[in-house]
Amino acid sequence: MGNTTIKILAKELNLSVASVSKALRDSHEISHETKQKVLALARKMNYVPNPYASSLRRRVSKTIAVVLPEVADSFFSLAINGIESIAEERGYHVLIYLTHESFAREKAILNEFKSGRVDGILISVSGETCDSSHIKEVAAEGIPVVFFDRICEDIETARVVTDDFESGYVAAAHLIEKGCKKIAFLSTSTSLSISNNRMQGYKKALKDHKMKMSGHDIVLCGNDPDENYRIIKNLLKKKQRPDGIIASVEKLTAAVYLACKDLTLTIPKNVKLISFTNLPTALILNPPLTTITQPAFEMGKTAAAVLFTALGKSNNELKEETVVIPSTLTVRSSTGC
Amino acid sequence: MGNTTIKILAKELNLSVASVSKALRDSHEISHETKQKVLALARKMNYVPNPYASSLRRRVSKTIAVVLPEVADSFFSLAINGIESIAEERGYHVLIYLTHESFAREKAILNEFKSGRVDGILISVSGETCDSSHIKEVAAEGIPVVFFDRICEDIETARVVTDDFESGYVAAAHLIEKGCKKIAFLSTSTSLSISNNRMQGYKKALKDHKMKMSGHDIVLCGNDPDENYRIIKNLLKKKQRPDGIIASVEKLTAAVYLACKDLTLTIPKNVKLISFTNLPTALILNPPLTTITQPAFEMGKTAAAVLFTALGKSNNELKEETVVIPSTLTVRSSTGC
DNA sequence: GTTCCTGGCGAAAACGGTTTCGTAAATAAA
DNA sequence: TTTATTTACGAAACCGTTTTCGCCAGGAAC
């Protein structure tokens, strides 16, 4: 609207737009007094530079994109907080996109980024994503892409993850230690790196402890809570029901509690449960839940920091590193005796 | 980088950039065949228009800002989902900003928007916000601002809220009905409209039921969980301890459960509890929690929809309306007998 | 007195689209 | 045949900022 522009400032001060622009950017070509005058007027008129004009000319947008499957999960909420805190520090803006676990949507979103809308991308891939060519394409345009949490194995770039394999191992080992003889592993995806790593850790733990494992112990759930409830209930109704459960995804937790309640199975007496979750309410569940919590906030912060070091360089080059921030096991009564 | 621009398309097709631009925008000035040719090449070369060039000239950014106090709360997570779903439908991009409940930060963020970075704003004000001049300023620039959930009373614009007063009333009335004689109201802010409305509803219910109320029954908590825990524990240690508690903010819930546990007070026998929360785990708490749940997703969607109807108009004028989407009471054992 | 810097500034060309206006050719109306 | 209108396109201005050059004055070096 009636926005003050550089042109207006220039006219007011009898200067050229070039000089005003330089003064505002603190160029050495401009004398100290002139800078003072410009700054003073800019402040007085509440001049806010048009970011798009600047972006167009300088070919940087001071904006990053965060691409997530969903934000209903407490992990991603915390991650956003971490990302935003770093971005704000650096004067960057944060665009957020949700894929709703759809590969097609993820592709479309990424494709848009070829236009220069963002300087860098933080992404946690959708559950459907197996091919990473869409990511390679934008990376090829010189836009740094940092993966966090849910990564793509087949592309060499920066990643910030947690120790999913070890956590899966720890979770299973903990249940074994607590006396479980038959441990079920609940998952919602077979393609996702994190799910697989957790599962591999689980398998390794069973193997190391000489426990036999049937394929039936790995249970694939979906996105629908009711459906998941049925699946888990069926699992617990079996003659050969598990005496230990690993919920490798936060949203499967409630279904386990409910199914146990309905079947009058007691946690931890009949079934011991450990969940991968960041829910702040784990402590007040009935019984309090043993958890593997991911360092969500830290992961967000770190991923953003990694991205910004790349953006700090002239070539935007990303160090091809994998930062691992460990998850932590918190033992509570759901696995106690 | 090696981005294809209109200029490149034009050269390739022996057309002027003007014609290519018009063809891409489906102008009637361009013949059908030419349009086809342009579209075909654009697709083939994966042309993605530079959004900032377009924004600069057209003075619209196809971007909205969402300003939130925090996203660690399940309410705001769901709201973001709602907002994003509508924005995506309309082809808008979503910038997210967190104030961390700081008024200064909120002011700084809003001030930035005078530059034309966004076409519209969705905001849920910080707990510190009492003055709304910073919001009026950007509204005066012709940028529509829609409040959701946490509104500013002293500015006439569009608002999407839930029925906080009624919910406060319902919560208190429910506890009264369940036999509570002394009901404490836990809050984290006295300035926030939603907190006040909930509290007024609570007061009205007490009055209507001829219950006396001491000022001590309204307990102000803070942002620090440990601090809140101490406050609530002290409340429950009193000789005159409440037999009913309304937690008007989600994050106060856990503290109540923990304090009760530590003091070996049983919910609901000794203390009945009702919480304002969207936590999906309410059902599996010990005991299951009676809740007032806000329609977070719906509120986000509606707020976005209201904003977009304004953006659809040529003058961006916002209908000065207050949309109320009711919260729902879900009775569970934490208030049962 | 030249020549050479150097400090401080302005003119103008970008950046990549959009939009206004002009115009040539084709068609319609007179 | 002449005039009006429509169709399809191009030239150029424009959005607001940045950046490259070029220029001039004044001081230093010779």
Side-chain angles (χ1 to χ4, degrees), chain B residues 129-263:
Chain B
T129 305
C130 35
D131 172 35
S132 71
S133 57
H134 60 306
I135 297 172
K136 281 178 184 149
E137 276 176 34
V138 317
E141 301 272 339
I143 303 169
V145 180
V146 176
F147 286 91
F148 73 101
D149 196 45
R150 298 183 178 190
I151 65 169
C152 253
E153 304 275 0
D154 66 334
I155 177 172
E156 65 300 323
T157 177
R159 302 163 177 165
V160 177
V161 295
T162 184
D163 54 348
D164 288 302
F165 179 89
E166 289 76 7
S167 299
Y169 190 99
V170 164
H174 175 70
L175 288 178
I176 294 169
E177 189 195 324
K178 290 292 181 179
C180 292
K181 297 298 175 208
K182 184 174 173 63
I183 300 172
F185 183 91
L186 311 185
S187 172
T188 53
S189 163
T190 51
S191 60
L192 235 36
S193 57
I194 54 166
S195 291
N196 264 316
N197 290 341
R198 288 171 190 175
M199 188 168 68
Q200 296 305 330
Y202 152 81
K203 284 183 178 174
K204 181 72 165 30
L206 294 198
K207 202 174 158 192
D208 284 359
H209 292 82
K210 310 259 189 289
M211 286 181 60
K212 61 168 182 254
M213 198 203 80
S214 93
H216 298 95
D217 293 337
I218 291 173
V219 180
L220 187 65
C221 299
N223 280 317
D224 178 40
D226 296 336
E227 169 87 11
N228 292 338
Y229 171 74
R230 284 198 302 103
I231 294 174
I232 292 167
K233 197 164 175 180
N234 283 335
L235 174 72
L236 290 170
K237 267 199 244 169
K238 282 191 198 158
K239 256 194 299 248
Q240 289 265 40
R241 67 165 166 73
D243 56 1
I245 292 183
I246 299 174
S248 77
V249 177
E250 177 169 304
K251 66 178 161 197
L252 299 176
T253 304
V256 177
Y257 271 89
L258 291 177
C260 285
K261 196 175 171 193
D262 284 6
L263 298 170

Side-chain angles (χ1 to χ4, degrees), chain B residues 15-16 18-19 22 29 31 34 57 59:
Chain B
L15 282 170
S16 70
S19 299
K22 289 175 195 163
E29 293 183 30
S31 74
T34 306
R57 178 64 229 243
R59 315 182 132 280

Side-chain angles (χ1 to χ4, degrees), chain B residues 294-332:
Chain B
Q294 299 148 275
F297 184 78
E298 282 303 321
M299 285 171 73
K301 271 182 88 161
T302 307
V306 167
L307 182 59
F308 285 125
T309 63
L311 292 177
K313 295 182 195 167
S314 58
N315 57 354
N316 278 1
E317 203 166 340
L318 216 44
K319 198 159 55 165
E320 189 188 315
E321 59 182 341
T322 300
V323 182
V324 180
I325 308 179
S327 293
T328 57
L329 168 71
T330 307
V331 179
R332 300 201 184 88

Side-chain angles (χ1 to χ4, degrees), chain A residues 199-229:
Chain A
M199 189 168 68
Q200 294 308 329
Y202 151 83
K203 283 184 178 171
K204 180 73 165 27
L206 295 199
K207 201 172 158 195
D208 284 0
H209 292 81
K210 311 261 187 290
M211 287 181 60
K212 61 168 182 251
M213 202 203 78
S214 95
H216 298 96
D217 293 337
I218 291 173
V219 180
L220 187 64
C221 299
N223 280 317
D224 178 40
D226 296 336
E227 169 87 11
N228 291 340
Y229 171 75

